[in-house]
């Protein structure tokens, strides 16, 4: 069993945030879940990663609309990450769809191959739910059955909603 802890990122960890994202978009099993290509991700500037990390970090404060969490094993290696985006009913989400109710959208979910199939995914979602104090929802590519099964194991259910989004054919899942 993997020994790990989940915590929010800190603003000064932008290089580690970038490295984990680069790993995610290069992972053949995970690449279907990301709108960024490996080439695009590699081309983003240090300033981009500094700003992105700071905005989703614990340093952004309690009122921040974004929070990124990482799972860190006993050696200090990051073995997973997910980001929560607080949402308000009636607003437009990152796909341009109307948010049906207050909650938190989860994006950027990645668990390293050695940490998959265990408790890391559940712990990341639990951390986001605790931070947001709200129901969670996410979008998953309609052909990404492996990810959908993982989400179902940690309490997400398909909403029967399918649309064409930035990922292509996409379905919505929710965890109350």
């Amino acid at each position: 069993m993997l020994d790990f802890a989940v915590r929010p990122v800190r603003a000064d960890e932008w290089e580690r945030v970038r490295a984990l994202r680069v790993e995610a978009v290069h992972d053949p099993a995970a690449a279907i879940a990301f709108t960024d290509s490996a080439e695009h991700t590699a081309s983003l500037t240090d300033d981009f990663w500094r700003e992105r990390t700071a905005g989703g970090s614990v340093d952004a404060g309690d009122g921040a609309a974004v929070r990124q969490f990482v799972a860190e094993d006993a050696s200090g290696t990051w073995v997973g990450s997910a980001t929560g985006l607080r949402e308000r009913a009636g607003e437009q989400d990152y796909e341009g769809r109307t948010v049906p109710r207050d909650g938190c959208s989860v994006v950027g979910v990645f668990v390293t191959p050695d940490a998959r199939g265990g408790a890391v995914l559940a712990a990341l979602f639990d951390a986001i739910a605790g931070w947001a104090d709200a129901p969670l929802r996410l979008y998953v590519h309609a052909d990404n059955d492996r990810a959908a099964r993982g989400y179902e194991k940690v309490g997400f259910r398909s909403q029967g909603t399918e649309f064409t989004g930035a990922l292509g054919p996409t379905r919505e899942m929710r965890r109350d």
Side-chain angles (χ1 to χ4, degrees), residues 87 98-105 134-139 151-152 154-160 171-176:
E87 301 179 310
T98 302
V99 173
R101 63 181 180 170
D102 289 359
C104 184
S105 185
L136 304 180
R137 71 183 189 112
L138 55 76
Y139 296 138
Y151 300 149
E152 287 171 351
V154 297
F156 282 84
R157 297 292 171 252
S158 178
Q159 299 301 294
R171 57 187 144 163
E172 181 179 349
M173 299 183 79
R174 181 175 300 279
R175 184 179 107 170
D176 291 318

Side-chain angles (χ1 to χ4, degrees), residues 141-161:
H141 191 285
D143 295 335
N144 196 347
D145 292 330
R146 181 193 54 79
R149 283 190 307 273
Y151 300 149
E152 287 171 351
K153 286 179 184 176
V154 297
F156 282 84
R157 297 292 171 252
S158 178
Q159 299 301 294
T161 305

Side-chain angles (χ1 to χ4, degrees), residues 107-130:
V107 298
V109 179
F110 177 66
V111 177
T112 61
D114 291 344
R116 290 182 187 148
V120 172
L121 186 64
L124 287 166
F125 285 129
D126 289 347
I128 291 172

Side-chain angles (χ1 to χ4, degrees), residues 35-155:
T35 57
D36 284 347
S37 67
E39 296 78 20
H40 180 258
T41 300
S43 75
L44 297 170
T45 66
D46 290 354
D47 285 342
F48 170 87
W49 290 106
R50 283 184 189 102
E51 290 173 24
R52 181 181 189 150
T53 304
S57 73
V58 68
D59 305 302
D62 292 336
V66 179
R67 183 67 32 96
Q68 181 176 2
F69 290 85
V70 291
E72 187 172 47
D73 72 13
S75 74
T77 301
W78 287 4
V79 296
S81 177
T83 300
L85 310 172
R86 286 186 171 139
E87 301 179 310
R88 295 283 175 231
E91 294 178 345
Q92 298 295 300
D93 69 12
Y94 64 91
E95 285 281 7
R97 298 175 57 82
T98 302
V99 173
R101 63 181 180 170
D102 289 359
C104 184
S105 185
V106 182
V107 298
V109 179
F110 177 66
V111 177
T112 61
D114 291 344
R116 290 182 187 148
V120 172
L121 186 64
L124 287 166
F125 285 129
D126 289 347
I128 291 172
W131 164 76
D133 191 25
L136 304 180
R137 71 183 189 112
L138 55 76
Y139 296 138
V140 61
H141 191 285
D143 295 335
N144 196 347
D145 292 330
R146 181 193 54 79
R149 283 190 307 273
Y151 300 149
E152 287 171 351
K153 286 179 184 176
V154 297

